Amino acid sequence: MDLNKQTKRSPGRRGLLRGAMVACCAMALSTAGATAASASAPTARTVDYVALGDSYASGPGIPTQVDTACARSDQNYPSLLAAARNWQLTDVSCSGATTTALAGPQGSRPPQLDALGADTDVVTLTMGGNDIGFSSNLATCAGLTSKDPTGNPCQTFFTSGGTDQLEQRVNDTAPKIAAALDAVRQRAPHAKVLVVGYPDLFPDDGVGCTSSAVPLAAGDFAYLRDTEKKLNAMLASQAAANGAGYVDTYTPSVGHDMCKPAGERWIEPLAAAAPAAPAHPNARGQQAMAATVERALHCRAYRR
């Protein structure tokens, strides 16, 4: 499967690929513990790819759901990437996962890190949103909207004590991501590790779309956008500091946020219309994420 051909039928492909090139040029992939191999040389075995992460990796609601407990789709970005590269995929991404689900159980599910081994070649990690309380934060903001729909009640609430609570949660999550990457490296010492950031949820220009489908106050869109950017910046920083690559999925998804109409958006609004979870990537969004990771991997020849 050619992901570029697949996204060619989706609106905004030029923007997607342009953004992916930005991510490609900006990203430095770790080669620690790897030995160079020619891109054209035959591989001795199939590449072993393990996908770790939360609902932005698992693809909740997107047909076909192959793991109902984790709300995992066979059309999520790890599945699309593995198919495009003909890699052997072990996908343990799970909705609701935090960094604690990496080393500890998530319900009846074993620790995600258990999927890694000495023979693992590639790892993607999509994590951090739940650690800052992504879903509950949005629910709080939506609940405050009716009190001041043209103002910024969400921002006022989270900064009322003189400290931005959401920014603090992002900062508090940084050492957890660092510890997670260290644990990944210990379990899979020869793997290429990619931290995959979060796509653009809210209009990048800060202009909102307050409605029944997106019940957020007009003045809070810029605040929520900035919070997401801080989360992604933290993930990029921790990736760089811990020998991993960072994949920027935000830049290529600008213009496809939850405020855009159906057919143009890659993120569903809080009242989802497409088969996907609210405020999460729909099928096109997962395709875009897969294409961005694929493009990032093309930046330099894959090394084992």
Side-chain angles (χ1 to χ4, degrees), residues 3-16 256 263-266 282-285 287-288:
L3 288 177
N4 289 332
K5 289 181 179 178
Q6 187 173 28
T7 55
K8 189 173 183 179
R9 296 190 293 272
S10 301
R13 176 179 176 270
R14 292 173 62 186
L16 165 63
H256 300 280
E264 293 182 24
R265 64 175 176 254
W266 295 343
N282 53 30
R284 294 187 183 204
Q287 291 169 15

Side-chain angles (χ1 to χ4, degrees), residues 150-163:
T150 61
N152 59 337
C154 175
Q155 182 177 16
T156 299
F157 176 82
F158 283 113
T159 60
S160 60
T163 300

Side-chain angles (χ1 to χ4, degrees), residues 47-59:
V47 170
D48 183 0
Y49 165 37
V50 176
L52 311 173
D54 58 25
S55 54
Y56 272 70
S58 68

Side-chain angles (χ1 to χ4, degrees), residues 15-280:
L16 165 63
L17 294 182
R18 181 170 59 251
M21 283 300 284
V22 171
C24 178
C25 294
M27 185 180 65
L29 296 180
S30 167
T31 58
T35 55
S38 168
S40 60
T43 57
R45 59 180 176 82
T46 301
V47 170
D48 183 0
Y49 165 37
V50 176
L52 311 173
D54 58 25
S55 54
Y56 272 70
S58 68
I62 298 173
T64 299
Q65 294 285 291
V66 293
D67 185 328
T68 56
C70 282
R72 188 185 306 129
S73 170
D74 63 0
Q75 295 300 305
N76 60 357
Y77 88 75
S79 296
L80 297 173
L81 177 63
R85 289 232 155 187
N86 195 29
W87 286 350
Q88 178 64 45
L89 170 64
T90 301
D91 188 354
V92 291
S93 62
C94 195
S95 292
T98 65
T99 50
T100 59
L102 292 173
Q106 182 180 354
S108 61
R109 300 287 168 171
Q112 293 191 17
L113 290 175
D114 286 358
L116 301 175
D119 291 335
T120 302
D121 298 297
V122 179
V123 179
T124 54
L125 175 67
T126 309
M127 194 75 74
N130 289 325
D131 287 82
I132 70 168
F134 169 75
S135 296
S136 61
N137 295 340
L138 280 183
T140 297
C141 294
L144 293 169
T145 297
S146 61
K147 298 180 179 179
D148 188 9
T150 61
N152 59 337
C154 175
Q155 182 177 16
T156 299
F157 176 82
F158 283 113
T159 60
S160 60
T163 300
D164 187 336
Q165 296 179 47
L166 299 190
E167 181 177 20
Q168 186 59 53
R169 291 175 191 176
V170 170
N171 295 337
D172 291 344
T173 301
K176 299 177 183 178
I177 296 297
L181 290 171
D182 181 63
V184 168
R185 183 60 64 200
Q186 290 183 33
R187 298 285 190 102
H190 306 297
K192 186 175 296 300
V193 182
L194 301 176
V195 176
V196 180
Y198 292 88
D200 182 18
L201 276 66
F202 312 100
D204 190 59
D205 60 7
V207 178
C209 60
T210 306
S211 65
S212 59
V214 188
L216 300 171
D220 281 327
F221 282 88
Y223 172 65
L224 292 169
R225 172 207 62 196
D226 290 346
T227 298
E228 184 187 358
K229 287 187 173 183
K230 291 172 184 176
L231 173 61
N232 279 331
M234 179 275 288
L235 293 173
S237 176
Q238 291 305 311
N242 291 279
Y246 175 72
V247 182
D248 171 21
T249 66
Y250 184 98
T251 301
S253 59
V254 168
H256 300 280
D257 54 81
M258 67 173 67
C259 284
K260 297 302 182 287
E264 293 182 24
R265 64 175 176 254
W266 295 343
I267 304 294
E268 286 302 299
L270 273 65
H280 278 71

